[in-house]
Amino acid sequence: MKRSTVLGALALVLVASGCGGQSRPSSAAPGGTVTVLAAASLTESFTQLGKDFERANPGTHVTFSFGGSSTLAQQITAGAPADVFASASPANMKQVTDAGLAAGEPYTFARNQLVIAVAKGNPKRITGLADLTGPDVKVALCARAVPCGAATTKALDAAAVKLTPVTLEQDVKAALSKVRLGEVDAALVYRTDARAAAADVDGVEFPESAKAVNDYPIVALTKGSNPTGATAFVAYVRSQPAAAVLAGAGFQRP
Amino acid sequence: MTGRTPLALAVPAAVGLAFLVLPLVGLLARTPWSDLPARLAAPGVVEALRLSLGTATAATVVSVVLGVPLAWLLARRAFPGRRLVRALVTLPLVLPPVVGGVALLLVFGRRGLLGGWLESAFGITVPFTTTAVVLAETFVAMPFLVISVEGALRAANARYEEAAATLGATPWMAFRRVTLPLVAPGVAAGAVLCWARALGEFGATITFAGNFPGRTQTMPLAVYLALESDPAAAIVLSLLLLAVSVAILAGLRERWMSTP
């Protein structure tokens, strides 16, 4: 699922950055197109922030490419034209900063925790991680290589729960969609993802998730075509109105 | 073939070949040769390769068993709606594989058209099993076989079958003794295409069958996930899949196809 969206988004990024380069303003006011690569779990909140930012800065256009943080980090180090990177994990951010592509220090703007996503109404009566080990409970987890999978491993270790999932999904949205389609009974996803899908799923909180908190760093990139816009967007994400949007989506303040 | 090769053909042919081969060169250039053996011995690699080869072969067998009769029907029998049927057969070729995976879930999933019934009547659940991998691969690969075999059937002269019929052969016997040997190279070519497509299948598999080592994690899925954390491992896995498939295809070609 992600491969095609990433490719599509990359095409968009290529087109958008072309436009951005042409319409770059000479003054300090942001304008043109700001291309933002952001973690999949930021899809809903950043789409909203992008609209708010455009309204606050007329003439500015924000283009997003949402995907797995590790994929995005690789695209950036491979030279994908982008102005801002918002990662779901400091490790993937480090790949970008180590490559010398970050303009300044990354700033942690949000934190996220895991919840157990279950079908609406919680038909299997799942109340904690231990309930996921039952033989008639099918569970989807994120693969260990992606941030939500790393957090999952930490949470399961903290709870001393061993469970065998039916599938290890390539990102958090894919794990969630297996619950929404009814193919699994539960998935460990971020609280924000469960909240965004509140029409189809309930999010069951569990205490061990506090042991596996995910930090979300953001940074402007050096190789972007719109540095003014990038700085302005990062500043906007750190602002009070943006914090309210993020909190509404279920993120915690760092 | 004698005479000089026209430049108008040689130049685009060379460019085409370079375009197809260059990505492979890129892969080879970035391969971490020094720790290649250690990486190939990493846990899960052999498992994923065996699963890939097994499921692709199973998908090819299913495709031959179902696809050859389908191709025969399309090539030899006039029936209303034949053009529509032919278009439907090629549908998986244009459908993005991920969409194919979602569609398979909507049929065979727990809440799918058939899946719910399969589970309540027989206790069978298809998604997240190796069977699901074979189904996903068959779905995307069978059209390649049907198209090749139908093309071969159309090229083969139907008069041999008619002659067999006048000599008293039943249609089934004519198909078995005359038609099938006549189009055997076409079936073989189609089966190879089908197998290759099944081996590389990614989108429908990860959507419909999920990803679990040893059960549904085929090589392309392992490559994709390795790319998330360890690009060097992804390159090694890609290279392994490539080498094994090229070796098998070349071996089969020698054995089956007496290329003119």
mmCIF file of all heavy atoms in Angstrom, chain B residues 13 151 164 170:
data_model
loop_
_atom_site.group_PDB
_atom_site.id
_atom_site.type_symbol
_atom_site.label_atom_id
_atom_site.label_comp_id
_atom_site.label_asym_id
_atom_site.label_seq_id
_atom_site.Cartn_x
_atom_site.Cartn_y
_atom_site.Cartn_z
ATOM 1 N N ALA B 13 17.939 -0.573 -29.652
ATOM 2 C CA ALA B 13 18.080 -1.845 -28.942
ATOM 3 C C ALA B 13 19.127 -1.728 -27.849
ATOM 4 O O ALA B 13 18.925 -2.195 -26.719
ATOM 5 C CB ALA B 13 18.458 -2.953 -29.918
ATOM 6 N N GLY B 151 -2.492 -16.555 -27.344
ATOM 7 C CA GLY B 151 -1.749 -16.151 -28.535
ATOM 8 C C GLY B 151 -1.226 -17.361 -29.292
ATOM 9 O O GLY B 151 -1.341 -17.448 -30.526
ATOM 10 N N ALA B 164 -8.283 -34.097 -36.763
ATOM 11 C CA ALA B 164 -8.398 -35.098 -35.705
ATOM 12 C C ALA B 164 -9.856 -35.462 -35.477
ATOM 13 O O ALA B 164 -10.210 -36.634 -35.282
ATOM 14 C CB ALA B 164 -7.763 -34.566 -34.422
ATOM 15 N N THR B 170 -12.584 -37.337 -30.061
ATOM 16 C CA THR B 170 -13.494 -36.453 -29.331
ATOM 17 C C THR B 170 -12.781 -35.130 -29.128
ATOM 18 O O THR B 170 -11.551 -35.067 -29.196
ATOM 19 C CB THR B 170 -13.833 -37.051 -27.953
ATOM 20 O OG1 THR B 170 -12.615 -37.187 -27.208
ATOM 21 C CG2 THR B 170 -14.498 -38.413 -28.076
#
